[in-house]
Amino acid sequence: MKKIVRTLAAVAALSAAQAGFAADGLFDSVALEGGGGEHVQVVRLSAQKDWNQNWLPTHGYHLSGYWDANVAYWRANRWEDVADRRKNLGVIGVTPVFRWEADDKLGFYGEAGIGVSVFSSVYRNTHRQLSTAFEFADHIGVGYVFSNKLDLGVRLQHYSNGGIKHPNGGVNLALVRAAYHF
């Protein structure tokens, strides 16, 4: 637990420090997400790097995207399907995300991504078991970017090992996201 908290604190400090070095281009934005699923709560910190592409321009919108590097803390509340048995997990991941957005990058957007994640231990919460620490992480989401560059959105996230090993029950999460673009 202490190791997970220290890792999350280090990522938060690096993300905050990045704001002062935004001109260097290491990251374009940082985000904080929170939510959960069946007997699990999640907090995730991430940093993004825009692709700055303008694919399929149509009526003031286009397709672009970003790289998302993230670290998360998961609290499972029904570990190995035992009531009130808890387990804390750390998760790190990277995801390429496609975003349909306005040309000025403000206003409404929709996005989808699929990436990879590694869990600190194999997920065995409730009847959901994943069999491997390596998981694919895909999501769909919508949101709104305000003129002050604050980005608020919601996501539906799914983790699964893609059938690499069974059982592969999959884990579904609903997340609220707040990001800031430098």
Side-chain angles (χ1 to χ4, degrees):
M1 172 65 174
K2 289 181 184 177
K3 192 175 188 180
I4 292 170
V5 171
R6 281 193 299 251
T7 301
L8 287 172
V11 169
L14 287 172
S15 297
Q18 175 57 27
F21 301 105
D24 294 345
L26 184 59
F27 298 116
D28 298 314
S29 61
V30 292
L32 173 65
E33 297 174 51
E38 185 178 11
H39 295 284
V40 64
Q41 292 81 43
V42 175
V43 174
R44 179 167 49 199
L45 297 169
S46 60
Q48 296 78 36
K49 176 64 177 169
D50 285 336
W51 297 344
N52 292 318
Q53 296 297 318
N54 192 353
W55 298 314
L56 307 172
T58 307
H59 304 292
Y61 276 79
H62 65 273
L63 181 65
S64 189
Y66 59 90
W67 287 101
D68 181 89
N70 57 75
V71 60
Y73 167 77
W74 288 39
R75 180 169 174 90
N77 299 319
R78 194 172 171 89
W79 194 250
E80 295 178 336
D81 214 10
V82 176
D84 296 324
R85 187 170 182 194
R86 292 170 180 25
K87 173 87 172 175
N88 299 318
L89 297 105
V91 181
I92 59 171
V94 65
T95 303
V97 179
F98 289 92
R99 181 179 274 195
W100 184 254
E101 62 187 3
D103 289 342
D104 64 1
K105 298 187 179 234
L106 300 176
F108 289 104
Y109 65 84
E111 65 180 29
I114 183 166
V116 294
S117 293
V118 177
F119 284 65
S120 59
S121 67
V122 175
Y123 187 85
R124 292 190 172 105
N125 195 39
T126 65
H127 59 282
R128 303 277 181 197
Q129 297 187 15
L130 296 178
S131 299
T132 60
F134 172 84
E135 299 294 325
F136 295 102
D138 53 319
H139 79 269
I140 58 170
V142 296
Y144 190 89
V145 179
F146 295 90
S147 59
N148 64 359
K149 300 183 183 179
L150 177 64
D151 174 345
L152 298 178
V154 294
R155 287 182 171 181
L156 296 176
Q157 181 91 43
H158 175 76
Y159 288 83
S160 121
N161 67 30
I164 294 171
K165 187 175 178 182
H166 294 282
N168 182 33
V171 177
N172 298 311
L173 304 171
L175 301 168
V176 175
R177 179 176 186 270
Y180 180 75
H181 296 267
F182 305 123

